[in-house]
Structures are given as C-alpha cells and as structure tokens.
Amino acid sequence: GENVEQHPSTLSVQEGDSAVIKCTYSDSASNYFPWYKQELGKGPQLIIDIRSNVGEKKDQRIAVTLNKTAKHFSLHITETQPEDSAVYFCAASNEWGGGADGLTFGKGTHLIIQP
Amino acid sequence: SAVISQKPSRDICQRGTSLTIQCQVDSQVTMMFWYRQQPGQSLTLIATANQGSEATYESGFVIDKFPISRPNLTFSTLTVSNMSPEDSSIYLCSVSSGPTEAFFGQGTRLTVV
C-alpha cells in the first residue's frame, strides 16, 4: 500500500518568513495530493490540493509543488502569520477526495509562527 | 461543501464498555470513512462505511472491535467495543462525493479509563 513520509515534524519560523513542508510517497499510482490544516480541538480542513497532471498550484499565500518523477510534493506558505500556527498533514490517494480507498496521511508537521 | 456533525464531541469511558459515535452529513455523499488519530499522531483509516452492506476494514482493524453501520447516504455510526486505554484517540468521520475533496468532522475525543 501507499506510504507517505512528511518532514519536518516541527517547524518554527518568524512571523513574515516562509515555511516549507515536504512529503514523499511510495505508490506511483497516487495522483491526488491534498494538504490539511488541523487546529487544536478541530478536524482537519483542506487548504490546498494538487493532481498529478499539474506541477504547481497557488492560492494566495499558499502553494503546492509536485515532482511526480521523484515522488515528492511540498507545501509553501509565504508571509506567515500567527493564525498559520497549526498541525499540517499531507496525504496521497489514487483518486480525488480519496476515492474508494480513503487517504493515506503523513505524520504531520507542527508549524509554530514566532511573533 | 459538506457539513458534518459528529456526536459525541468527547467522552470518558470505563474500560470494557462500548461507545457508539454518530456521523451526520447535511447532504447525500458517496463515500464515508472512519479514521483514528492517536494522541499527537497522524490519521489512520479504520474502514470505509458502505451503504447497505458491510464496511470495508483496513489491515489491523476488525469488525468485532469496530462495528460500523451506514443505513443511508447521510448517516453512519462507529462503535468502539470492549474498550481499553489503548483505544483512547480522536475518531474522525470523513465524507466525499465523486470528484470532490474529502471533508472531515470535528472528531470525537475518546478517553478510556
């Protein structure tokens, strides 16, 4: 089955700086890669996703890049703000939304924005 | 986007007892999933809840321990049976429909004492 590795486990950046979180996956059949943000006491919320037919996607301060050959994808957050502090999870699936098999998640990155 | 209501939001249970968690969606959805998130850990898929038939369980999870029902396209339950402290986790319901993102409920925080 799919295996998703995520690094780093904790990331501390100064407010206003950029943050980058990286994930690798093992199953070449995976073609959907969402990123979720989980705040304390809440369920995960999708912040951005990418499909394998594109290499990069941007939404305001958030971007995701995908290298299908190397089987890795990254989340980039620019101009970080205190409200970006949360745990971020990457995931992979062979179908949009997880399809019939659900999503395989990375272990998560605790992002801390220092004022 | 789908709005998911999970009940209860949290509970403290005695070992050896069972707890049933409910997941209600505000619209019909194709897929419903149950995930477990152990303290400080990632999300692990328990099973896919299939409407009108038995759930599909992932390796390491069995029906006797985690019976699941899905009587219609908007509702599912997960029961954690014969609980032990190792079952203390957050249990999350997730839904998706065709080519859309997967939405998550707020989760049920279970503590077994």
Side-chain angles (χ1 to χ4, degrees):
Chain A
E2 175 66 281
N3 182 49
V4 177
E5 300 282 342
Q6 182 172 349
H7 300 280
S9 56
T10 304
L11 178 60
S12 180
V13 302
Q14 290 292 322
E15 181 179 350
D17 288 351
S18 295
V20 181
I21 303 170
K22 299 182 179 182
C23 288
T24 60
Y25 61 98
S26 62
D27 188 350
S28 57
S30 290
N31 60 16
Y32 173 67
F33 308 94
W35 286 88
Y36 285 84
K37 176 183 181 182
Q38 188 176 30
E39 297 174 319
L40 200 60
K42 298 185 178 180
Q45 282 200 303
L46 182 78
I47 56 171
I48 196 167
D49 57 13
I50 192 168
R51 302 202 72 179
S52 60
N53 56 348
V54 298
E56 183 175 357
K57 184 176 177 181
K58 272 183 115 171
D59 183 3
Q60 299 182 340
R61 296 186 297 109
I62 294 172
V64 57
T65 59
L66 170 65
N67 183 328
K68 205 162 161 57
T69 303
K71 296 202 193 83
H72 67 71
F73 56 112
S74 301
L75 177 71
H76 305 252
I77 305 174
T78 59
E79 300 171 17
T80 52
Q81 300 168 4
E83 53 265 35
D84 294 329
S85 294
V87 179
Y88 291 80
F89 292 98
C90 63
S93 169
N94 60 6
E95 201 171 335
W96 197 349
D101 298 327
L103 296 166
T104 300
F105 284 85
K107 289 191 181 298
T109 296
H110 186 193
L111 178 61
I112 302 165
I113 307 302
Q114 304 278 7
Chain B
S1 64
V3 177
I4 303 169
S5 172
Q6 252 187 264
K7 293 179 182 178
S9 58
R10 59 177 63 233
D11 207 340
I12 301 173
C13 300
Q14 296 290 323
R15 66 179 69 199
T17 63
S18 297
L19 175 72
T20 296
I21 302 167
Q22 298 180 1
C23 177
Q24 177 73 56
V25 194
D26 68 341
S27 58
Q28 292 186 347
V29 292
T30 307
M31 307 301 299
M32 293 184 81
F33 304 96
W34 287 98
Y35 288 83
R36 181 174 73 181
Q37 186 175 24
Q38 293 178 302
Q41 302 296 313
S42 186
L43 289 80
T44 300
L45 182 64
I46 297 172
T48 304
N50 299 310
Q51 193 228 341
S53 64
E54 194 172 285
T56 305
Y57 290 84
E58 297 300 303
S59 175
F61 297 96
V62 296
I63 188 172
D64 289 347
K65 177 67 175 176
F66 298 101
I68 288 171
S69 78
R70 188 179 174 190
N72 56 51
L73 293 176
T74 63
F75 185 77
S76 178
T77 66
L78 167 75
T79 299
V80 186
S81 302
N82 188 25
M83 288 183 285
S84 67
E86 292 71 37
D87 295 320
S88 297
S89 291
I90 300 171
Y91 292 86
L92 293 147
C93 172
S94 174
V95 305
S96 71
S97 273
T100 66
E101 66 182 89
F103 298 95
F104 284 83
Q106 293 231 38
T108 297
R109 184 178 296 270
L110 171 62
T111 302
V112 183
V113 297

